[in-house]
Amino acid sequence: MKPIRLGMVGGGSGAFIGAIHRIAARMDGRFDLVAGALSSDPDRATTSAAELGIRSYSSFAAMAEAEPLREDGIEAVAIVTPNHMHAAPAVAFLNAGIHVICDKPLTATSQQAREIAKAAEASSARFFLTHNYSALPMVREARARVAEGSLGQVRLVQAEYLQGWLADNVRSKQADWRTDPAQAGAGALGDIGTHAWQLAEFVTGQTPSYVSADLSSMVPGRPIDDDARVALRYASGAKGGIWASQVAVGQENGLSLRVFGDEAALEWRLSDSERLIFSPKNGPAQILTRAHDRSASFRTPPGHPEGYLEGFANLYLDIASIIRGDLSAADRVPGLSAGLSGMAFITAAKSSSERDGAWTEVSP
Amino acid sequence: MKPIRLGMVGGGSGAFIGAIHRIAARMDGRFDLVAGALSSDPDRATTSAAELGIRSYSSFAAMAEAEPLREDGIEAVAIVTPNHMHAAPAVAFLNAGIHVICDKPLTATSQQAREIAKAAEASSARFFLTHNYSALPMVREARARVAEGSLGQVRLVQAEYLQGWLADNVRSKQADWRTDPAQAGAGALGDIGTHAWQLAEFVTGQTPSYVSADLSSMVPGRPIDDDARVALRYASGAKGGIWASQVAVGQENGLSLRVFGDEAALEWRLSDSERLIFSPKNGPAQILTRAHDRSASFRTPPGHPEGYLEGFANLYLDIASIIRGDLSAADRVPGLSAGLSGMAFITAAKSSSERDGAWTEVSP
Amino acid sequence: MKPIRLGMVGGGSGAFIGAIHRIAARMDGRFDLVAGALSSDPDRATTSAAELGIRSYSSFAAMAEAEPLREDGIEAVAIVTPNHMHAAPAVAFLNAGIHVICDKPLTATSQQAREIAKAAEASSARFFLTHNYSALPMVREARARVAEGSLGQVRLVQAEYLQGWLADNVRSKQADWRTDPAQAGAGALGDIGTHAWQLAEFVTGQTPSYVSADLSSMVPGRPIDDDARVALRYASGAKGGIWASQVAVGQENGLSLRVFGDEAALEWRLSDSERLIFSPKNGPAQILTRAHDRSASFRTPPGHPEGYLEGFANLYLDIASIIRGDLSAADRVPGLSAGLSGMAFITAAKSSSERDGAWTEVSP
Amino acid sequence: MKPIRLGMVGGGSGAFIGAIHRIAARMDGRFDLVAGALSSDPDRATTSAAELGIRSYSSFAAMAEAEPLREDGIEAVAIVTPNHMHAAPAVAFLNAGIHVICDKPLTATSQQAREIAKAAEASSARFFLTHNYSALPMVREARARVAEGSLGQVRLVQAEYLQGWLADNVRSKQADWRTDPAQAGAGALGDIGTHAWQLAEFVTGQTPSYVSADLSSMVPGRPIDDDARVALRYASGAKGGIWASQVAVGQENGLSLRVFGDEAALEWRLSDSERLIFSPKNGPAQILTRAHDRSASFRTPPGHPEGYLEGFANLYLDIASIIRGDLSAADRVPGLSAGLSGMAFITAAKSSSERDGAWTEVSP
């Protein structure tokens, strides 16, 4: 199969998530990065593109206009800008019939999300959202266990994403836009809370109906939430919680998920990402590894750890197959509906928190 | 030092917590169990006392009347009955000038709690509440770390107590009274939620000011909560959560505490009770063991696991010292104020849950 | 059942293992400590006995002579002296028809071991050896798994006991006799290597036929081994290893056992003593807890950690039953044959090490 | 920097380690795979090359002859054939002035090893050996700790590599050549024992002087070792052990290293590869993560797990730098001396085992 010609918006030198997307796209040899509007700073855009040996554009708009006219134009584009800069390029490329691979969360505002949704509906191209953690093998196996009924009726769901890097009033390229309401839209809630939300949604197959939230800015003077504690109610009667924090000192990327059904339970932690604990009601807990992952989402034998980059690459691998017409993995790759769900979560949680935790409907 | 003559109310054959109290009292040789009103069933009371070789009474009232008249009468009494049967004997023995060692939670109702408080105030005898987990060495060390300021300002507190044994509608001596509102007062909230509450309070030295609770009965037909999710707000601006569940399949006694300050964090789990993870903001996490517990609350060298019974025995050891006049450990042994705090937690959480999670003041 | 009247040799104030034995004997209420020859220093013997409120003897010989003449004389004696002082009192009490509960290893020399064996053979009394770790519930379950064939044919056995407390040339009551060849007989090999040896023997039900050993004194000037690395060959064709070290910095009591059969494997660690990992050849590893221990060797529900003292108390409980005539637990309580096996291990390992690791037959 | 043109010998469709090398070479964009002699089966060679879109050769010899004549010829070649097929292509490419990246162990026989050594000496090209585990960040940090003296004098070293996949007499492409003495040279000893050996050597900076080995074929009829237990003696007085097994049921890739010095200890396990436990003699153990890896051998923030493929890619990244003239990483990339050390280990261990474990000098 021929590699897919890929463009990139954002991700100039010094960027974090752009470099991750490039490794993920490269890992399995299914993409060729050929063009980019890598920075809003024209010099940095040019230099960064030269370093990568790809065509350079001064703006995403120019790229969206020019590429469709080339015989060797890009077939897909990765958008790796800050949240408030997702919608405009996404709409432009969708309108140009170019597949979009967008970093999460979907956008900084609900209005922007609606614009993408509208463009996606009208476009022949596809929209993918890189919620990478749900592409890890043991998370996919967790989802399969719930789907096949091994847990029985789900009763309790707890998802956490704890970081400590913003415990102080740090200033850095990464910290600055993430703590700016205009660029990020939401703080811990949007940056990592949406990962926890999507993880829970992906594994359980259920979206909470109501949330009650308590958002805090623990660091004095911070204009955005850095700790989000959200209680969940499901239509099924299940209850749950999301806890996202960026001031949890000592935590690097403490993402975890626990799901309790009336027949069995599952527990997974990113810090031990290759093991999934499955606890049937009667009988001992089992340590599932990739030897038991039926999605076969890996490249190396069990016991040889794979991780974050491989999870990202799993997404790119599936996206390549979908773009090339094999839809068998379509239902496990997050897309627009995951993005809209995440935005609905942010909106409802903010609204609830503003009203002192009043239970608030989640309206995707 | 002469052993303290101990009586017991409840704890007849087949009882769970009574046997635990007896082992704890026996372990360090500081108590002699000499009398008991071990059961409300007279035959069982007599037989059980005979098995233990102690004086038998048909009722706590008879014991409270007779023992003070004996030269070799009991100096302290352990009350190990269901929650609704704590207040009456506690009041009787306090009135008789006999020290009371009462199992938790304090009572089944606030009214009963007030009665104990009143009797305690009027009595020369002391009142102890066996929140045993806070007597474990690494928990005591955790408390010392917070108290000495190693964590800086506490920002986040999360305490959980997860069990799975009531995931079905089980019937048993232990299950029956714990799921009966009249005998227990509260379900998961009272039985194990109060442990989590006290653990958080003991370690942080702070009592939350407001709670927002969502209590559930996950097992159809159960007349009492079996899952309690409670958000916490502290006067200091700290936020927190208590999660207590008896339907968390696969969990045996999943008690844990996480405290994040602005300088360092602590994590402790009962399943790994001899290790305390201390994470300073700058620098690697440290695995503290009993080698670093400055309270010296143990009998064996570090690495030789001690556990639940030793924690209980630590309480009995401290109680013996206090009764014999050495008050140096008085501030670390839970007593009436811990009991009243737990009742205030139950009351506030129930009230909040009835009003759909409205933030509710905790009024001890 | 009436408590058994117990005497003690050694264990005066300041002693370590004597206090442990007393707690273990007391925990389940099956023993009454009534007499002791607690120290070779007469003053310390008297004072220590007074503190415990028991009859005091100036020597074990005096106690062995006097007690059988009393109507309320001791029925059993615990010997908790240094290794070289086990044989003489053991022989004396066995000759007096009094049951002996002896700390491990059996003796300091093979000659002393033979003397005990001879006395035991001639006596109506029983001889017990307190290899306490093998009385922990998950170890007993491990043994049951091997015995019932769940592992298939055992192929590989690895037992380790790593401590770090003698990494320097420390001087203390505990360190002094343990590093004195005359009192201890062997260093790491005897003090903790015999625990590892017995653990492996207890769980697998097999005794190695040949050993090849490399004993070291890592601390300059130490006259006894502080690190012992021993390879094992079993008659069945299985291979194994014992590694005992007292200079393993950072290790508190790092006892562990791994057994690999051709059908399944078992792994147990004292640092996580309440979990046993059972790995069938096909299918995920299982985390066994006390909920799956069929020996029911515990007092509290699974998830409430029990540990070192409870293991010791399990032995005392079984010993009480055996002394009172219930022999159902007799095969799981270590006795003379375990002691002789340990001495054979020490002898063979020393001999092998002296001959540069030559494979040496183990002759119990 | 321009990517390095890479060729490959072996690694046709269905091969395991060839695919790994390709991902590792691709991950950081520093190599372009352009040519290959991918299989000794001409059809498979052609098809596999077409799938990858690279130049195909029917033999390594043809490739070694033709490529140097092309202006766009390969600059380096990866050799990923079975062990007995390493030497001939390595010699051919070294003679042709092309850098060689060879999988481990070096060869199947000592004679073959000497041939490579001779060719390497005469060549202007470099020779690299892909002992990938030692390129993981926490292993590099472990090495730095030993080198800077944090452990003091190293006393004890224990390295293990346990697998269970050959517990039965399995037949497969991977199993067949690994259990064939002619192709593999050694079994568990060579395939994974050399990894453990190299890991210990890399971290401690010391090579054992003498070994005493016990090699076993646990599976009936297997003509090669599947379990290797090797005791080590260092010139410094340190002692150690290597345990490599392919019949350790339940173990996936159980690689671990423990090093005890007289000041501190280190423990690392592949199953938890992102954490390194550092235990100073005085003070609590520390959990080091990539936040504390001073080699910066990673692409993602700490807490986002990297693993096996990233370790392999770390090697390829360093190799690319070295080939392009930056030698700063040269001392941490395994090369010929690591390969010869591994062969000396195999030779000495086999010789020792044949002589019933006689201590045997390691002569690289």
Side-chain angles (χ1 to χ4, degrees):
Chain A
M1 197 178 345
K2 270 196 81 166
I4 291 160
R5 294 181 302 277
L6 182 69
M8 183 167 275
V9 178
S13 58
F16 159 57
I17 203 69
I20 300 297
H21 277 254
R22 286 196 292 269
I23 293 175
R26 200 156 49 214
M27 193 180 288
D28 297 302
R30 301 289 301 274
F31 289 88
D32 272 345
L33 183 68
V34 296
L38 299 176
S39 175
S40 51
D41 170 339
D43 280 357
R44 210 160 130 264
T46 309
T47 319
S48 301
E51 276 169 12
L52 293 166
I54 62 173
R55 291 191 287 279
S56 182
Y57 291 91
S58 58
S59 71
F60 72 82
M63 182 159 69
E65 202 179 314
E67 287 290 317
L69 307 176
R70 298 177 63 112
E71 206 156 304
D72 63 348
I74 60 170
E75 302 168 84
V77 67
I79 299 176
V80 294
T81 44
N83 307 349
H84 71 307
M85 287 295 298
H86 288 177
V91 168
F93 286 99
L94 286 169
N95 288 348
I98 289 170
H99 303 294
V100 171
I101 303 166
C102 184
D103 208 68
K104 47 49 60 184
L106 186 59
T107 53
T109 69
S110 297
Q111 173 57 28
Q112 293 163 1
R114 280 191 294 272
E115 289 164 15
I116 294 182
K118 201 176 141 195
E121 206 177 337
S123 174
S124 62
R126 288 177 173 274
F127 183 88
F128 304 100
L129 195 73
T130 48
H131 273 302
N132 51 300
Y133 302 112
S134 64
L136 291 170
M138 301 324 296
V139 174
R140 287 180 166 177
E141 176 62 21
R143 184 198 198 200
R145 298 257 161 168
V146 175
E148 74 195 11
S150 298
L151 272 70
Q153 177 87 6
V154 169
R155 283 174 168 170
L156 306 170
V157 180
Q158 181 74 16
E160 300 180 357
Y161 200 143
L162 304 183
Q163 298 178 326
W165 71 296
L166 293 178
D168 289 319
N169 193 11
V170 291
R171 312 305 310 174
S172 72
K173 181 180 170 65
Q174 293 304 322
D176 288 354
W177 77 260
R178 281 182 168 81
T179 55
D180 174 3
Q183 295 183 69
L189 186 69
D191 197 34
I192 53 178
T194 51
H195 271 310
W197 172 270
Q198 189 267 342
L199 187 68
E201 189 175 50
F202 181 83
V203 168
T204 64
Q206 296 182 41
T207 306
S209 302
Y210 290 87
V211 300
S212 164
D214 193 10
L215 307 186
S216 312
S217 298
M218 285 288 168
V219 172
R222 180 165 288 159
I224 205 166
D225 65 284
D226 52 22
D227 187 85
R229 189 176 281 279
V230 188
L232 312 174
R233 287 182 180 166
Y234 292 82
S236 66
K239 302 278 177 84
I242 301 273
W243 182 20
S245 187
Q246 292 167 324
V247 297
V249 165
Q251 295 285 314
E252 292 179 338
N253 283 284
L255 176 64
S256 67
L257 178 67
R258 291 175 281 174
V259 182
F260 298 93
D262 59 6
E263 292 297 333
L266 284 171
E267 178 169 356
W268 176 84
R269 295 179 184 276
L270 180 60
S271 61
D272 195 23
S273 64
E274 303 256 290
R275 271 166 285 272
L276 173 67
I277 308 300
F278 176 73
S279 301
K281 192 165 58 185
N282 305 310
Q286 300 169 13
I287 307 172
L288 306 179
T289 69
R290 279 200 267 115
H292 317 103
D293 165 33
R294 293 162 291 178
S295 78
S297 307
F298 48 85
R299 294 146 195 83
T300 57
H304 280 137
E306 296 195 0
Y308 179 83
L309 292 167
E310 287 79 5
F312 242 110
N314 287 346
L315 278 189
Y316 268 86
L317 196 55
D318 281 349
I319 289 170
S321 297
I322 294 168
I323 289 178
R324 285 287 180 259
D326 172 0
L327 300 186
S328 58
D331 76 323
R332 71 184 185 190
V333 177
L336 189 63
S337 67
L340 294 172
S341 174
M343 294 309 296
F345 164 61
I346 291 173
T347 304
K350 282 173 149 183
S351 167
S352 170
S353 188
E354 281 159 14
R355 293 174 300 120
D356 212 20
W359 285 100
T360 303
E361 191 167 8
V362 179
S363 314
Chain B
M1 198 176 347
K2 268 196 83 167
I4 291 159
R5 294 181 301 277
L6 181 68
M8 183 167 276
V9 177
S13 59
F16 160 58
I17 203 68
I20 300 299
H21 279 253
R22 287 194 292 268
I23 294 176
R26 197 155 55 213
M27 194 179 288
D28 297 302
R30 302 288 300 273
F31 288 88
D32 271 344
L33 183 67
V34 295
L38 299 176
S39 176
S40 50
D41 170 338
D43 280 357
R44 211 160 130 264
T46 310
T47 320
S48 302
E51 277 168 12
L52 293 166
I54 62 175
R55 293 191 287 279
S56 183
Y57 291 91
S58 59
S59 71
F60 73 83
M63 183 158 68
E65 202 179 312
E67 287 289 318
L69 307 176
R70 298 178 63 112
E71 205 156 306
D72 63 349
I74 60 172
E75 303 168 82
V77 67
I79 299 177
V80 295
T81 45
N83 307 348
H84 71 307
M85 288 296 297
H86 288 176
V91 168
F93 286 98
L94 286 169
N95 288 347
I98 290 170
H99 303 293
V100 171
I101 303 166
C102 183
D103 207 68
K104 43 52 59 186
L106 186 59
T107 54
T109 69
S110 296
Q111 173 56 28
Q112 294 162 3
R114 280 190 294 271
E115 291 164 13
I116 294 182
K118 201 176 141 195
E121 206 177 335
S123 174
S124 63
R126 289 177 172 272
F127 183 88
F128 305 100
L129 194 73
T130 48
H131 274 301
N132 52 299
Y133 301 113
S134 63
L136 291 169
M138 301 323 296
V139 174
R140 288 181 165 176
E141 175 62 21
R143 184 198 199 199
R145 297 257 162 170
V146 175
E148 74 196 10
S150 299
L151 273 72
Q153 176 86 6
V154 169
R155 285 173 167 172
L156 306 170
V157 180
Q158 182 74 17
E160 299 181 359
Y161 201 144
L162 305 183
Q163 298 179 328
W165 71 297
L166 293 178
D168 289 319
N169 193 11
V170 292
R171 312 302 312 173
S172 72
K173 181 180 171 61
Q174 293 304 322
D176 288 356
W177 77 258
R178 282 183 166 81
T179 54
D180 174 2
Q183 295 184 69
L189 186 68
D191 197 33
I192 53 178
T194 51
H195 272 309
W197 173 269
Q198 188 267 342
L199 187 67
E201 190 176 49
F202 181 82
V203 169
T204 64
Q206 295 183 43
T207 306
S209 303
Y210 290 88
V211 300
S212 165
D214 194 10
L215 306 185
S216 312
S217 297
M218 285 288 166
V219 172
R222 179 165 288 161
I224 204 166
D225 65 283
D226 52 22
D227 187 85
R229 189 175 281 279
V230 188
L232 312 174
R233 288 183 181 165
Y234 291 81
S236 66
K239 301 282 178 84
I242 301 272
W243 182 20
S245 187
Q246 292 166 323
V247 297
V249 165
Q251 295 286 313
E252 293 178 338
N253 283 285
L255 176 64
S256 66
L257 178 67
R258 292 175 280 174
V259 182
F260 298 93
D262 59 6
E263 292 298 333
L266 284 172
E267 178 168 356
W268 177 83
R269 294 177 183 278
L270 179 60
S271 60
D272 195 24
S273 63
E274 302 256 291
R275 271 166 284 273
L276 174 67
I277 308 300
F278 176 73
S279 301
K281 192 164 60 185
N282 304 309
Q286 299 169 13
I287 307 172
L288 305 179
T289 69
R290 278 200 268 116
H292 318 103
D293 166 33
R294 293 161 292 177
S295 79
S297 308
F298 47 85
R299 294 146 194 84
T300 57
H304 280 137
E306 296 195 0
Y308 180 82
L309 292 166
E310 286 80 4
F312 243 109
N314 287 345
L315 279 189
Y316 268 86
L317 196 55
D318 280 348
I319 290 169
S321 298
I322 294 167
I323 289 178
R324 284 287 179 259
D326 172 1
L327 300 185
S328 60
D331 75 323
R332 70 186 186 188
V333 177
L336 190 63
S337 68
L340 293 172
S341 175
M343 295 310 294
F345 165 60
I346 292 174
T347 304
K350 281 173 149 183
S351 168
S352 169
S353 187
E354 279 159 16
R355 292 175 298 121
D356 213 19
W359 285 99
T360 303
E361 192 168 7
V362 179
S363 314
Chain C
M1 196 178 343
K2 270 194 80 164
I4 291 160
R5 294 182 301 276
L6 181 69
M8 183 167 275
V9 178
S13 59
F16 159 58
I17 204 68
I20 300 297
H21 278 253
R22 286 195 293 267
I23 294 175
R26 197 156 53 213
M27 192 178 290
D28 296 302
R30 302 290 300 274
F31 288 88
D32 272 344
L33 183 67
V34 294
L38 298 177
S39 175
S40 50
D41 170 338
D43 279 357
R44 210 160 129 265
T46 308
T47 319
S48 302
E51 276 169 13
L52 293 166
I54 62 176
R55 294 191 285 279
S56 182
Y57 291 92
S58 58
S59 72
F60 72 83
M63 180 158 70
E65 202 178 314
E67 287 290 317
L69 307 177
R70 298 177 63 110
E71 205 156 304
D72 64 349
I74 60 171
E75 303 168 83
V77 68
I79 299 176
V80 295
T81 44
N83 307 347
H84 71 307
M85 286 296 296
H86 288 178
V91 168
F93 286 98
L94 286 170
N95 288 348
I98 290 170
H99 303 294
V100 171
I101 303 167
C102 183
D103 207 70
K104 45 52 56 185
L106 186 58
T107 53
T109 68
S110 297
Q111 173 55 29
Q112 293 162 0
R114 279 190 295 272
E115 289 164 15
I116 294 182
K118 201 176 142 196
E121 206 177 337
S123 174
S124 63
R126 289 178 173 273
F127 182 88
F128 305 100
L129 194 73
T130 47
H131 273 300
N132 52 299
Y133 302 111
S134 62
L136 291 169
M138 303 322 296
V139 173
R140 287 180 166 176
E141 176 62 20
R143 183 197 199 199
R145 298 257 162 169
V146 175
E148 74 197 8
S150 298
L151 272 71
Q153 176 86 10
V154 169
R155 284 173 167 171
L156 306 170
V157 181
Q158 181 75 15
E160 299 179 359
Y161 201 144
L162 305 183
Q163 297 178 329
W165 71 297
L166 293 178
D168 289 318
N169 193 11
V170 292
R171 311 303 311 175
S172 72
K173 182 180 170 64
Q174 293 304 324
D176 288 356
W177 76 259
R178 282 182 167 82
T179 54
D180 174 1
Q183 294 183 71
L189 186 68
D191 196 34
I192 53 177
T194 51
H195 271 310
W197 172 269
Q198 189 267 343
L199 187 68
E201 190 176 48
F202 181 82
V203 170
T204 64
Q206 296 182 43
T207 305
S209 303
Y210 290 87
V211 300
S212 164
D214 194 11
L215 306 186
S216 312
S217 298
M218 285 288 167
V219 172
R222 180 166 286 160
I224 204 166
D225 64 283
D226 53 21
D227 187 85
R229 189 175 281 280
V230 187
L232 312 174
R233 286 182 181 166
Y234 291 83
S236 66
K239 302 281 176 83
I242 302 273
W243 182 20
S245 186
Q246 292 166 324
V247 296
V249 165
Q251 295 285 313
E252 292 178 338
N253 282 284
L255 176 63
S256 67
L257 177 68
R258 291 175 281 173
V259 183
F260 299 93
D262 58 7
E263 293 298 332
L266 285 171
E267 178 168 356
W268 177 83
R269 295 177 184 278
L270 180 60
S271 60
D272 195 23
S273 63
E274 302 256 290
R275 272 167 283 273
L276 172 67
I277 308 299
F278 176 72
S279 301
K281 192 164 61 185
N282 305 309
Q286 299 169 14
I287 306 171
L288 305 179
T289 69
R290 279 200 267 116
H292 316 103
D293 166 32
R294 293 162 291 178
S295 80
S297 308
F298 47 85
R299 294 145 195 84
T300 57
H304 281 137
E306 296 194 0
Y308 180 82
L309 292 166
E310 287 80 3
F312 242 108
N314 286 345
L315 279 189
Y316 268 86
L317 196 55
D318 281 347
I319 289 170
S321 297
I322 294 168
I323 288 178
R324 284 286 179 260
D326 172 359
L327 300 185
S328 60
D331 74 323
R332 70 185 186 190
V333 177
L336 189 63
S337 68
L340 294 172
S341 175
M343 295 310 295
F345 164 61
I346 292 173
T347 304
K350 281 173 149 182
S351 168
S352 170
S353 188
E354 280 159 13
R355 291 175 300 119
D356 212 19
W359 285 100
T360 302
E361 193 167 6
V362 179
S363 312
Chain D
M1 197 177 344
K2 269 196 80 167
I4 291 160
R5 294 182 301 276
L6 182 68
M8 185 167 274
V9 178
S13 58
F16 160 57
I17 204 69
I20 300 298
H21 278 253
R22 287 195 292 269
I23 293 175
R26 199 155 52 215
M27 192 179 290
D28 296 302
R30 301 290 301 273
F31 289 88
D32 271 345
L33 182 67
V34 296
L38 300 175
S39 175
S40 50
D41 169 339
D43 280 357
R44 211 160 130 266
T46 309
T47 318
S48 301
E51 277 169 10
L52 293 167
I54 62 175
R55 292 191 288 279
S56 182
Y57 291 92
S58 58
S59 72
F60 72 81
M63 182 158 69
E65 202 179 314
E67 286 289 319
L69 307 177
R70 298 178 63 112
E71 204 155 305
D72 64 348
I74 60 172
E75 302 168 83
V77 67
I79 299 177
V80 294
T81 46
N83 307 349
H84 71 307
M85 286 296 298
H86 289 176
V91 168
F93 286 98
L94 286 170
N95 288 347
I98 290 169
H99 303 294
V100 170
I101 302 165
C102 183
D103 208 69
K104 46 51 57 187
L106 186 59
T107 54
T109 69
S110 297
Q111 173 56 28
Q112 293 163 2
R114 281 191 294 272
E115 290 165 14
I116 294 182
K118 201 176 141 195
E121 205 179 337
S123 175
S124 62
R126 288 176 173 273
F127 182 88
F128 305 100
L129 195 74
T130 48
H131 273 301
N132 50 300
Y133 301 112
S134 62
L136 291 170
M138 301 323 295
V139 174
R140 288 181 166 177
E141 177 62 21
R143 184 198 198 201
R145 298 257 162 167
V146 175
E148 74 195 11
S150 299
L151 273 72
Q153 176 87 6
V154 169
R155 285 173 168 172
L156 305 171
V157 180
Q158 182 74 16
E160 299 181 358
Y161 200 143
L162 304 183
Q163 298 179 327
W165 70 297
L166 293 178
D168 289 320
N169 193 10
V170 292
R171 313 302 311 174
S172 72
K173 183 181 169 62
Q174 292 304 323
D176 288 356
W177 77 258
R178 280 182 167 82
T179 55
D180 174 2
Q183 295 184 70
L189 186 68
D191 197 33
I192 52 178
T194 51
H195 271 310
W197 173 269
Q198 189 267 341
L199 187 67
E201 191 176 49
F202 181 83
V203 169
T204 63
Q206 297 183 40
T207 306
S209 302
Y210 290 87
V211 300
S212 165
D214 194 10
L215 307 185
S216 312
S217 297
M218 284 288 167
V219 172
R222 180 165 287 160
I224 204 166
D225 64 284
D226 51 21
D227 187 86
R229 190 176 280 279
V230 188
L232 313 174
R233 287 183 181 165
Y234 292 81
S236 65
K239 302 280 178 86
I242 301 274
W243 182 20
S245 186
Q246 293 167 322
V247 298
V249 165
Q251 295 286 313
E252 292 179 338
N253 283 284
L255 177 63
S256 67
L257 178 67
R258 290 175 281 173
V259 183
F260 298 93
D262 59 6
E263 292 297 334
L266 284 171
E267 177 168 358
W268 177 84
R269 295 179 182 277
L270 180 59
S271 61
D272 195 22
S273 63
E274 303 255 290
R275 271 167 285 272
L276 174 66
I277 308 300
F278 176 72
S279 302
K281 193 165 59 185
N282 304 312
Q286 299 170 12
I287 306 172
L288 306 179
T289 69
R290 278 200 268 116
H292 319 102
D293 166 33
R294 293 162 291 178
S295 78
S297 308
F298 48 84
R299 294 147 195 82
T300 57
H304 281 137
E306 296 195 0
Y308 180 82
L309 291 167
E310 287 80 4
F312 242 109
N314 286 346
L315 279 189
Y316 267 86
L317 196 56
D318 280 348
I319 290 170
S321 298
I322 295 168
I323 289 178
R324 283 289 178 259
D326 172 0
L327 300 186
S328 60
D331 75 324
R332 71 185 186 188
V333 178
L336 190 63
S337 68
L340 293 172
S341 175
M343 295 309 295
F345 164 61
I346 292 173
T347 303
K350 281 172 149 183
S351 168
S352 170
S353 188
E354 280 160 15
R355 292 174 300 121
D356 213 20
W359 285 99
T360 303
E361 192 168 6
V362 179
S363 315

